[in-house]
Every structure is written in structure tokens, then in C-alpha cells.
Amino acid sequence: ERSTSTFDFASYHTIDEIYHWMDVLVGDHPNLVSKIQIGQSYENRPLYVLKFSTGGSNRSAIWLDTGIHPREWITQATGIWTANKIAEEYGKDPSVTAILDSMDIFFEIVTNPDGFVFTHSSDRLWRKTRSINAGSPCIGVDPNRNWDAGFGGSGASSDPCSETYHGPYAHSEREVKAIADFILGHGNVKSVISIHSYSQMLLFPYGYKTAPVPNHQEMNELAKKAVSDLAAVYGTKYTYGSIMDTIYAADGIAVDWAYDNGVKYSFTFELRDTGRYGFLLPSTQIIPTATETWPALLDVMVHVLEHPY
Amino acid sequence: EKLFMGDQVLRVTAGDEGQVTQLRVLGEQAELQVDFWRHPTRPGHPADLRVPFSSLPAVKTFLESNNISYSIMIEDVQELLDEERRTMVKSRRT
């Protein structure tokens, strides 16, 4: 496609198509969007991040990522739609404009490119990275159990053959370390929103311990508003709360790491499930999913803008 | 290329904490290769399990013998994958 106006947001795309589309988006919005590379994957694919910025130096920032679990295709597809929406709404939507007039947004759409390619070529239901585990025939680490936050606890597996294998040590996965290094190096990231599918939840720390975060009430109220605004679009019902209370113990996860490293507004989404398809949601679900997620995302981002710290 | 012919996804609803625990035990039986798409959390909340074709009898027997209710969410995973691939090819052609 030569323009974002001809890109089919209602289809699933390969990594080459997505990476090409990123360049098109940058070309269409050269004064707002740029593409940066924060590292390389295990199989040496570039880890690209879209930067939305209207200027300034090291502004406070919001980090978004989609697709750390590659089989969750609706997530990356929602990421593409959302990135385009951010670019298109700047200067039109007052909330997006206000956010980007003060803050930068960093958006990693294909957080686990090796796994994503593997879901297209070899195993549609692949969840992990593609790194080799010494002494085991099983490949890959669950990159959302590999963060240095309660790493190696009971909410992850020490078995390399498990879907929730935490890896040999925290940040052993290049895909994880690249993000951690970027956020720590930036030093001014105020919100991390890590997007998954599919359980219809909006969650916040902690996953590795039962103690509530100090601003639990604020996070809970924000989550409540966000899921309410999401439900107003198509009636999709989300649950919300801390990860430990809402799902289960999960050790070494991204948003816990972000929170423990000073990012107060750390959330993770679990996008929609029709109750029939799971990770194999038909592409007809992409636009509705992205559309309903948008107001919830905006709620979180506006709250971050209005509550500087 | 990995094929998923005959694999099913079961939507399982635990009736009490004991059944939630039993589902977790099921997940720990590595030889069954059950892939939890949605993990068991609390009674009344659904869990989704992809079960390889070869493990279906054992898993269904386990669920039934423990009085854990379930329904078949996806009859044949490979059929859906084939359909997804057809859709992508058609989309690309368009």
C-alpha cells in the first residue's frame, strides 16, 4: 500500500506488511510520527517502536505495546488501528491533541516479532519467544514471565516446555530487555499499557503479590471508568482489578516490573472474546475490537495527562 | 508446519474452589499437553483448554469423573485455521 488510506485495517497482516505500513504511517505524518529501533529479537529481527511526538526534549511519555504473546493476533491488529487513530486524531480530537501537545507516545506494535513470524509460518498458536533453551528440546520463553518483578516465583513455570516458562534469568529475552532498557533509559515514562487478548479484562499490579499497590483505589476507579466507556460502544463486558485478585498469581510480568520501576500508571488489557473463536477471532472482529478499546485507552491516557507526578 | 487436526478447545466452568484446583492439576500433567487459553481463576468463571486430539478421551474422562461441566468451544482447531488462512489469502488478493 502506498498510503495509510488504502491499508486494510480489517485484515490480519504479516510482519513484512506491518513493518512496511509503519514506514507509510511515518511518511504520511512526518511531523508527528517517527520510527525508532530499540533492539533486535533473538532471530535478529528489528524491534521497532513508533514515536508520536510534537516536539520537546525528553517529554513525559506513555508506552504502549501489543503482541508480546504472538498468537493473540487481534492484539497486534488492534495496535495497528490504534496507532493510525492516534496519528489521524491529532489536531482533531481534543483529548489526543492535548496528550500529544504535552507528552510523547511510544508504541511497539509487534513486541515479539520472532514468535509472530512463527505463528504465520509454522505454529499459529505459538505464545513464547523463539530462543533456544540449553539442555532442553523445547524452544522459547514466555516473555511475560521474564521481567524482573517477582521473577521465578510460583506464578510461572521453571519447565522450558511449559507455555509459561520464565526463562533462565530475568530479562534473558532480548525482546524484554530492549523494552526495559528503553524505559529505564528514557527515565520519564509515566504510563505503561501492555495489551493482550482475550479475556476481556483491564488489570493493574500486582500479579506477583497479594498486597495492593499504594494507589489501588485510584487505579480501580480509573479502570472502572475505562471499562464502562468501552462497554458503551458495543456492550462488551470487561472485568477489572488487580491481576492477583482478578486472574491468578503471575510472576515476572511487564506491568509489575513497570510499576516497581516507578511507572505509576501501569495497566494491561485483555481484549475481547466472542466466546467461540479464542485466539482465532475472524478478521471481521478487528475493527469492532479496536473501536471499543479506543475510548478505554483514551481514558487511561487522559488520566495520565491530568495527573502528573 | 504444525497441524492441529482434531484438536478441540473446551470451555470449562469450575463449580467450586476444589474444581479450580483440579483444573490446575490437569494443567500440570505434561503428557496431556493441555494448552490453557484462558486459565481457571475462580468458580463460575470459564477456562478455555486446547486439547490435542490424542488427549481428548483422557481429558474428557477427567472432567466428567470430577463432575466439572464443559462444552466444546471449538470442534476442530485446524478447520478454523484453514478458514483463517483462506480469509487472509482472499484479503491479500483483493
Side-chain angles (χ1 to χ4, degrees):
Chain A
E1 292 82 4
R2 291 189 178 85
S3 157
T4 50
S5 63
T6 58
F7 186 83
D8 185 5
F9 293 95
S11 277
Y12 290 118
H13 294 277
T14 64
I15 195 166
D16 292 337
E17 290 166 347
I18 295 171
Y19 279 4
H20 174 63
W21 170 81
M22 287 183 186
D23 292 333
V24 173
L25 183 74
V26 171
D28 281 358
H29 305 275
N31 298 319
L32 179 66
V33 190
S34 55
K35 186 180 81 174
I36 57 178
Q37 185 177 344
I38 63 166
Q40 283 187 308
S41 68
Y42 182 81
E43 293 175 342
N44 293 321
R45 292 187 176 85
L47 300 170
Y48 287 135
V49 172
L50 292 172
K51 178 182 180 182
F52 299 79
S53 179
T54 56
S57 173
N58 199 40
R59 281 179 167 176
S60 55
I62 295 169
W63 170 273
L64 301 168
D65 64 72
T66 49
I68 197 168
H69 290 148
R71 66 188 182 183
E72 300 166 9
W73 279 13
I74 193 73
T75 315
Q76 297 94 339
T78 295
I80 295 166
W81 185 96
T82 303
N84 187 64
K85 183 79 169 168
I86 293 169
E88 289 202 329
E89 293 297 327
Y90 177 70
K92 296 178 191 165
D93 180 284
S95 296
V96 174
T97 306
I99 292 164
L100 286 173
D101 280 345
S102 299
M103 308 181 75
D104 293 342
I105 296 174
F106 293 93
F107 202 151
E108 187 173 8
I109 290 176
V110 187
T111 306
N112 182 351
D114 297 348
F116 189 66
V117 167
F118 201 65
T119 65
H120 279 264
S121 62
S122 304
D123 181 345
R124 173 64 183 84
L125 298 175
W126 190 256
R127 168 185 165 102
K128 301 194 282 185
T129 60
R130 291 295 301 160
S131 53
I132 290 170
N133 295 307
S136 171
C138 294
I139 298 282
V141 167
D142 181 344
N144 205 31
R145 297 291 183 279
N146 188 239
W147 298 77
D148 191 11
F151 176 82
S154 59
S157 176
S158 57
D159 178 357
C161 297
S162 165
E163 295 285 8
T164 56
Y165 174 50
H166 51 55
Y169 54 89
H171 301 186
S172 62
E173 302 312 284
R174 286 189 189 183
E175 297 81 357
V176 170
K177 188 173 187 306
I179 299 173
D181 287 350
F182 177 80
I183 290 175
L184 292 178
H186 186 281
N188 207 12
V189 173
K190 301 298 185 186
S191 177
V192 163
I193 305 172
S194 187
I195 304 179
H196 292 244
S197 64
Y198 72 110
S199 300
Q200 297 182 188
M201 293 171 173
L202 178 52
L203 307 168
F204 51 84
Y206 284 106
Y208 77 90
K209 58 184 175 184
T210 53
V213 290
N215 62 330
H216 177 93
Q217 192 178 343
E218 179 191 17
M219 301 285 265
N220 210 50
E221 285 170 9
L222 175 53
K224 182 180 181 183
K225 175 175 171 29
V227 303
S228 168
D229 289 343
L230 185 154
V233 181
Y234 294 116
T236 307
K237 289 195 174 119
Y238 270 47
T239 52
Y240 61 93
S242 79
I243 294 154
M244 178 68 87
D245 289 346
T246 312
I247 323 185
Y248 47 70
D251 298 285
I253 62 174
V255 289
D256 279 3
W257 175 86
Y259 194 89
D260 278 350
N261 282 273
V263 183
K264 185 177 173 185
Y265 297 112
S266 296
F267 286 92
T268 182
F269 275 84
E270 289 276 356
L271 302 182
R272 77 153 59 174
D273 161 41
T274 61
R276 184 185 152 95
Y277 296 100
F279 299 125
L280 309 176
L281 278 177
S283 55
T284 52
Q285 295 279 318
I286 295 172
I287 304 293
T289 303
T291 305
E292 71 183 8
T293 306
W294 174 248
L297 270 178
L298 213 47
D299 281 341
V300 176
M301 293 196 290
V302 167
H303 187 90
V304 175
L305 173 70
E306 293 176 346
H307 295 78
Y309 64 95
Chain B
E1 178 175 301
K2 186 167 178 181
L3 297 174
F4 298 87
M5 288 167 74
D7 288 15
Q8 292 188 343
V9 179
L10 307 180
R11 173 153 286 191
V12 182
T13 307
D16 54 38
E17 285 292 348
Q19 291 187 344
V20 172
T21 305
Q22 282 168 328
L23 285 176
R24 289 186 182 137
V25 170
L26 181 68
E28 287 163 9
Q29 295 183 34
E31 69 279 7
L32 295 176
Q33 295 182 296
V34 174
D35 176 13
F36 279 84
W37 283 13
R38 191 204 300 252
H39 287 258
T41 55
R42 61 184 70 169
H45 279 228
D48 295 337
L49 290 63
R50 180 180 63 81
V51 184
F53 179 69
S54 59
S55 299
L56 276 172
V59 170
K60 288 182 177 176
T61 301
F62 177 92
L63 295 173
E64 285 158 14
S65 63
N66 287 289
N67 292 317
I68 302 174
S69 64
Y70 72 91
S71 59
I72 298 172
M73 184 171 124
I74 297 176
E75 287 274 356
D76 186 333
V77 172
Q78 191 61 45
E79 271 185 26
L80 269 187
L81 291 173
D82 293 343
E83 187 184 325
E84 187 176 64
R85 175 161 294 179
R86 279 195 297 273
T87 308
M88 286 188 74
V89 169
K90 187 178 165 200
S91 167
R92 198 157 297 141
R93 205 178 294 134
T94 305

PDB file of all heavy atoms in Angstrom, chain A residues 42-64:
ATOM      1  N   TYR A  42      15.694 -12.256  19.176  1.00  0.00           N
ATOM      2  CA  TYR A  42      16.612 -13.409  19.222  1.00  0.00           C
ATOM      3  C   TYR A  42      17.046 -13.818  17.818  1.00  0.00           C
ATOM      4  O   TYR A  42      18.198 -14.176  17.599  1.00  0.00           O
ATOM      5  CB  TYR A  42      15.912 -14.571  19.925  1.00  0.00           C
ATOM      6  CG  TYR A  42      16.762 -15.801  20.082  1.00  0.00           C
ATOM      7  CD1 TYR A  42      17.696 -15.900  21.108  1.00  0.00           C
ATOM      8  CD2 TYR A  42      16.625 -16.881  19.206  1.00  0.00           C
ATOM      9  CE1 TYR A  42      18.487 -17.029  21.253  1.00  0.00           C
ATOM     10  CE2 TYR A  42      17.407 -18.018  19.344  1.00  0.00           C
ATOM     11  CZ  TYR A  42      18.335 -18.092  20.369  1.00  0.00           C
ATOM     12  OH  TYR A  42      19.107 -19.212  20.504  1.00  0.00           O
ATOM     13  N   GLU A  43      16.126 -13.769  16.869  1.00  0.00           N
ATOM     14  CA  GLU A  43      16.449 -14.138  15.488  1.00  0.00           C
ATOM     15  C   GLU A  43      16.846 -12.922  14.655  1.00  0.00           C
ATOM     16  O   GLU A  43      16.732 -12.927  13.423  1.00  0.00           O
ATOM     17  CB  GLU A  43      15.256 -14.884  14.857  1.00  0.00           C
ATOM     18  CG  GLU A  43      15.018 -16.253  15.504  1.00  0.00           C
ATOM     19  CD  GLU A  43      13.779 -16.979  14.989  1.00  0.00           C
ATOM     20  OE1 GLU A  43      12.897 -16.320  14.386  1.00  0.00           O
ATOM     21  OE2 GLU A  43      13.676 -18.195  15.216  1.00  0.00           O
ATOM     22  N   ASN A  44      17.256 -11.871  15.348  1.00  0.00           N
ATOM     23  CA  ASN A  44      17.813 -10.659  14.737  1.00  0.00           C
ATOM     24  C   ASN A  44      16.833  -9.841  13.904  1.00  0.00           C
ATOM     25  O   ASN A  44      17.233  -9.143  12.973  1.00  0.00           O
ATOM     26  CB  ASN A  44      19.056 -11.005  13.898  1.00  0.00           C
ATOM     27  CG  ASN A  44      20.192 -11.494  14.781  1.00  0.00           C
ATOM     28  OD1 ASN A  44      20.404 -10.966  15.867  1.00  0.00           O
ATOM     29  ND2 ASN A  44      20.874 -12.533  14.343  1.00  0.00           N
ATOM     30  N   ARG A  45      15.576  -9.928  14.250  1.00  0.00           N
ATOM     31  CA  ARG A  45      14.622  -9.008  13.611  1.00  0.00           C
ATOM     32  C   ARG A  45      14.643  -7.690  14.379  1.00  0.00           C
ATOM     33  O   ARG A  45      14.806  -7.674  15.598  1.00  0.00           O
ATOM     34  CB  ARG A  45      13.213  -9.606  13.624  1.00  0.00           C
ATOM     35  CG  ARG A  45      13.082 -10.806  12.741  1.00  0.00           C
ATOM     36  CD  ARG A  45      11.660 -11.317  12.618  1.00  0.00           C
ATOM     37  NE  ARG A  45      11.628 -12.418  11.665  1.00  0.00           N
ATOM     38  CZ  ARG A  45      11.899 -13.694  11.972  1.00  0.00           C
ATOM     39  NH1 ARG A  45      12.184 -14.031  13.218  1.00  0.00           N
ATOM     40  NH2 ARG A  45      11.866 -14.627  11.032  1.00  0.00           N
ATOM     41  N   PRO A  46      14.443  -6.576  13.669  1.00  0.00           N
ATOM     42  CA  PRO A  46      14.432  -5.286  14.362  1.00  0.00           C
ATOM     43  C   PRO A  46      13.207  -5.154  15.270  1.00  0.00           C
ATOM     44  O   PRO A  46      12.125  -5.635  14.934  1.00  0.00           O
ATOM     45  CB  PRO A  46      14.378  -4.269  13.213  1.00  0.00           C
ATOM     46  CG  PRO A  46      13.847  -5.031  12.047  1.00  0.00           C
ATOM     47  CD  PRO A  46      14.274  -6.449  12.217  1.00  0.00           C
ATOM     48  N   LEU A  47      13.430  -4.529  16.422  1.00  0.00           N
ATOM     49  CA  LEU A  47      12.325  -4.229  17.338  1.00  0.00           C
ATOM     50  C   LEU A  47      11.979  -2.752  17.145  1.00  0.00           C
ATOM     51  O   LEU A  47      12.687  -1.871  17.638  1.00  0.00           O
ATOM     52  CB  LEU A  47      12.743  -4.510  18.779  1.00  0.00           C
ATOM     53  CG  LEU A  47      13.167  -5.951  19.080  1.00  0.00           C
ATOM     54  CD1 LEU A  47      13.791  -6.062  20.476  1.00  0.00           C
ATOM     55  CD2 LEU A  47      11.968  -6.900  18.964  1.00  0.00           C
ATOM     56  N   TYR A  48      10.910  -2.522  16.395  1.00  0.00           N
ATOM     57  CA  TYR A  48      10.549  -1.153  16.032  1.00  0.00           C
ATOM     58  C   TYR A  48       9.515  -0.579  16.998  1.00  0.00           C
ATOM     59  O   TYR A  48       8.584  -1.270  17.436  1.00  0.00           O
ATOM     60  CB  TYR A  48       9.950  -1.114  14.630  1.00  0.00           C
ATOM     61  CG  TYR A  48      10.948  -1.325  13.520  1.00  0.00           C
ATOM     62  CD1 TYR A  48      10.655  -2.200  12.458  1.00  0.00           C
ATOM     63  CD2 TYR A  48      12.164  -0.640  13.495  1.00  0.00           C
ATOM     64  CE1 TYR A  48      11.560  -2.393  11.426  1.00  0.00           C
ATOM     65  CE2 TYR A  48      13.070  -0.834  12.459  1.00  0.00           C
ATOM     66  CZ  TYR A  48      12.763  -1.709  11.432  1.00  0.00           C
ATOM     67  OH  TYR A  48      13.653  -1.895  10.413  1.00  0.00           O
ATOM     68  N   VAL A  49       9.675   0.699  17.263  1.00  0.00           N
ATOM     69  CA  VAL A  49       8.724   1.439  18.086  1.00  0.00           C
ATOM     70  C   VAL A  49       8.318   2.691  17.324  1.00  0.00           C
ATOM     71  O   VAL A  49       9.183   3.398  16.781  1.00  0.00           O
ATOM     72  CB  VAL A  49       9.356   1.826  19.443  1.00  0.00           C
ATOM     73  CG1 VAL A  49       8.443   2.768  20.225  1.00  0.00           C
ATOM     74  CG2 VAL A  49       9.664   0.584  20.268  1.00  0.00           C
ATOM     75  N   LEU A  50       7.029   2.956  17.262  1.00  0.00           N
ATOM     76  CA  LEU A  50       6.554   4.208  16.673  1.00  0.00           C
ATOM     77  C   LEU A  50       6.572   5.270  17.759  1.00  0.00           C
ATOM     78  O   LEU A  50       6.044   5.059  18.856  1.00  0.00           O
ATOM     79  CB  LEU A  50       5.136   4.041  16.123  1.00  0.00           C
ATOM     80  CG  LEU A  50       4.992   3.128  14.905  1.00  0.00           C
ATOM     81  CD1 LEU A  50       3.517   2.903  14.586  1.00  0.00           C
ATOM     82  CD2 LEU A  50       5.728   3.711  13.691  1.00  0.00           C
ATOM     83  N   LYS A  51       7.174   6.406  17.443  1.00  0.00           N
ATOM     84  CA  LYS A  51       7.201   7.518  18.390  1.00  0.00           C
ATOM     85  C   LYS A  51       6.275   8.624  17.884  1.00  0.00           C
ATOM     86  O   LYS A  51       6.451   9.125  16.776  1.00  0.00           O
ATOM     87  CB  LYS A  51       8.624   8.067  18.543  1.00  0.00           C
ATOM     88  CG  LYS A  51       8.698   9.256  19.495  1.00  0.00           C
ATOM     89  CD  LYS A  51      10.119   9.807  19.587  1.00  0.00           C
ATOM     90  CE  LYS A  51      10.165  10.999  20.552  1.00  0.00           C
ATOM     91  NZ  LYS A  51      11.508  11.588  20.619  1.00  0.00           N
ATOM     92  N   PHE A  52       5.308   8.970  18.709  1.00  0.00           N
ATOM     93  CA  PHE A  52       4.403  10.078  18.394  1.00  0.00           C
ATOM     94  C   PHE A  52       4.841  11.258  19.247  1.00  0.00           C
ATOM     95  O   PHE A  52       4.789  11.188  20.478  1.00  0.00           O
ATOM     96  CB  PHE A  52       2.947   9.708  18.724  1.00  0.00           C
ATOM     97  CG  PHE A  52       2.426   8.535  17.951  1.00  0.00           C
ATOM     98  CD1 PHE A  52       2.751   7.230  18.306  1.00  0.00           C
ATOM     99  CD2 PHE A  52       1.599   8.734  16.854  1.00  0.00           C
ATOM    100  CE1 PHE A  52       2.278   6.157  17.589  1.00  0.00           C
ATOM    101  CE2 PHE A  52       1.108   7.653  16.126  1.00  0.00           C
ATOM    102  CZ  PHE A  52       1.452   6.360  16.489  1.00  0.00           C
ATOM    103  N   SER A  53       5.271  12.307  18.594  1.00  0.00           N
ATOM    104  CA  SER A  53       5.784  13.447  19.347  1.00  0.00           C
ATOM    105  C   SER A  53       5.563  14.729  18.569  1.00  0.00           C
ATOM    106  O   SER A  53       5.752  14.769  17.346  1.00  0.00           O
ATOM    107  CB  SER A  53       7.277  13.263  19.625  1.00  0.00           C
ATOM    108  OG  SER A  53       7.779  14.380  20.328  1.00  0.00           O
ATOM    109  N   THR A  54       5.190  15.781  19.284  1.00  0.00           N
ATOM    110  CA  THR A  54       5.051  17.096  18.634  1.00  0.00           C
ATOM    111  C   THR A  54       6.230  17.987  18.981  1.00  0.00           C
ATOM    112  O   THR A  54       6.181  19.202  18.763  1.00  0.00           O
ATOM    113  CB  THR A  54       3.732  17.765  19.067  1.00  0.00           C
ATOM    114  OG1 THR A  54       3.696  17.861  20.503  1.00  0.00           O
ATOM    115  CG2 THR A  54       2.540  16.974  18.578  1.00  0.00           C
ATOM    116  N   GLY A  55       7.269  17.407  19.562  1.00  0.00           N
ATOM    117  CA  GLY A  55       8.466  18.190  19.845  1.00  0.00           C
ATOM    118  C   GLY A  55       8.870  18.096  21.294  1.00  0.00           C
ATOM    119  O   GLY A  55       8.428  17.211  22.030  1.00  0.00           O
ATOM    120  N   GLY A  56       9.719  19.002  21.702  1.00  0.00           N
ATOM    121  CA  GLY A  56      10.191  18.997  23.082  1.00  0.00           C
ATOM    122  C   GLY A  56      11.302  17.987  23.272  1.00  0.00           C
ATOM    123  O   GLY A  56      11.603  17.200  22.371  1.00  0.00           O
ATOM    124  N   SER A  57      11.891  18.048  24.436  1.00  0.00           N
ATOM    125  CA  SER A  57      13.019  17.167  24.732  1.00  0.00           C
ATOM    126  C   SER A  57      12.684  16.275  25.921  1.00  0.00           C
ATOM    127  O   SER A  57      12.349  16.770  26.998  1.00  0.00           O
ATOM    128  CB  SER A  57      14.247  18.027  25.035  1.00  0.00           C
ATOM    129  OG  SER A  57      15.304  17.211  25.484  1.00  0.00           O
ATOM    130  N   ASN A  58      12.774  14.972  25.686  1.00  0.00           N
ATOM    131  CA  ASN A  58      12.533  14.000  26.752  1.00  0.00           C
ATOM    132  C   ASN A  58      11.259  14.298  27.542  1.00  0.00           C
ATOM    133  O   ASN A  58      11.245  14.322  28.771  1.00  0.00           O
ATOM    134  CB  ASN A  58      13.732  13.911  27.701  1.00  0.00           C
ATOM    135  CG  ASN A  58      13.709  12.624  28.509  1.00  0.00           C
ATOM    136  OD1 ASN A  58      13.378  11.556  27.984  1.00  0.00           O
ATOM    137  ND2 ASN A  58      14.027  12.704  29.790  1.00  0.00           N
ATOM    138  N   ARG A  59      10.200  14.549  26.797  1.00  0.00           N
ATOM    139  CA  ARG A  59       8.912  14.796  27.449  1.00  0.00           C
ATOM    140  C   ARG A  59       8.449  13.570  28.221  1.00  0.00           C
ATOM    141  O   ARG A  59       8.873  12.451  27.925  1.00  0.00           O
ATOM    142  CB  ARG A  59       7.842  15.104  26.390  1.00  0.00           C
ATOM    143  CG  ARG A  59       7.912  16.525  25.862  1.00  0.00           C
ATOM    144  CD  ARG A  59       6.832  16.715  24.824  1.00  0.00           C
ATOM    145  NE  ARG A  59       6.645  18.124  24.501  1.00  0.00           N
ATOM    146  CZ  ARG A  59       5.813  18.550  23.558  1.00  0.00           C
ATOM    147  NH1 ARG A  59       5.103  17.682  22.857  1.00  0.00           N
ATOM    148  NH2 ARG A  59       5.687  19.836  23.332  1.00  0.00           N
ATOM    149  N   SER A  60       7.560  13.783  29.171  1.00  0.00           N
ATOM    150  CA  SER A  60       6.954  12.634  29.829  1.00  0.00           C
ATOM    151  C   SER A  60       6.223  11.819  28.755  1.00  0.00           C
ATOM    152  O   SER A  60       5.761  12.370  27.750  1.00  0.00           O
ATOM    153  CB  SER A  60       6.020  13.068  30.952  1.00  0.00           C
ATOM    154  OG  SER A  60       5.062  13.961  30.477  1.00  0.00           O
ATOM    155  N   ALA A  61       6.135  10.521  28.993  1.00  0.00           N
ATOM    156  CA  ALA A  61       5.721   9.654  27.889  1.00  0.00           C
ATOM    157  C   ALA A  61       4.812   8.521  28.356  1.00  0.00           C
ATOM    158  O   ALA A  61       4.784   8.155  29.535  1.00  0.00           O
ATOM    159  CB  ALA A  61       6.962   9.066  27.210  1.00  0.00           C
ATOM    160  N   ILE A  62       4.063   8.033  27.372  1.00  0.00           N
ATOM    161  CA  ILE A  62       3.212   6.851  27.564  1.00  0.00           C
ATOM    162  C   ILE A  62       3.761   5.742  26.677  1.00  0.00           C
ATOM    163  O   ILE A  62       4.041   5.976  25.503  1.00  0.00           O
ATOM    164  CB  ILE A  62       1.750   7.171  27.188  1.00  0.00           C
ATOM    165  CG1 ILE A  62       1.173   8.230  28.143  1.00  0.00           C
ATOM    166  CG2 ILE A  62       0.896   5.901  27.191  1.00  0.00           C
ATOM    167  CD1 ILE A  62      -0.160   8.816  27.696  1.00  0.00           C
ATOM    168  N   TRP A  63       3.918   4.567  27.253  1.00  0.00           N
ATOM    169  CA  TRP A  63       4.395   3.409  26.483  1.00  0.00           C
ATOM    170  C   TRP A  63       3.214   2.467  26.225  1.00  0.00           C
ATOM    171  O   TRP A  63       2.474   2.117  27.152  1.00  0.00           O
ATOM    172  CB  TRP A  63       5.478   2.663  27.268  1.00  0.00           C
ATOM    173  CG  TRP A  63       5.832   1.335  26.647  1.00  0.00           C
ATOM    174  CD1 TRP A  63       5.208   0.145  26.865  1.00  0.00           C
ATOM    175  CD2 TRP A  63       6.857   1.087  25.689  1.00  0.00           C
ATOM    176  NE1 TRP A  63       5.795  -0.836  26.093  1.00  0.00           N
ATOM    177  CE2 TRP A  63       6.794  -0.288  25.363  1.00  0.00           C
ATOM    178  CE3 TRP A  63       7.819   1.894  25.065  1.00  0.00           C
ATOM    179  CZ2 TRP A  63       7.674  -0.866  24.457  1.00  0.00           C
ATOM    180  CZ3 TRP A  63       8.690   1.300  24.167  1.00  0.00           C
ATOM    181  CH2 TRP A  63       8.620  -0.060  23.861  1.00  0.00           C
ATOM    182  N   LEU A  64       3.044   2.068  24.981  1.00  0.00           N
ATOM    183  CA  LEU A  64       2.025   1.073  24.617  1.00  0.00           C
ATOM    184  C   LEU A  64       2.718  -0.089  23.920  1.00  0.00           C
ATOM    185  O   LEU A  64       3.621   0.127  23.109  1.00  0.00           O
ATOM    186  CB  LEU A  64       1.004   1.664  23.639  1.00  0.00           C
ATOM    187  CG  LEU A  64       0.191   2.893  24.058  1.00  0.00           C
ATOM    188  CD1 LEU A  64      -0.528   3.470  22.844  1.00  0.00           C
ATOM    189  CD2 LEU A  64      -0.816   2.520  25.111  1.00  0.00           C
TER     190      LEU A  64
END
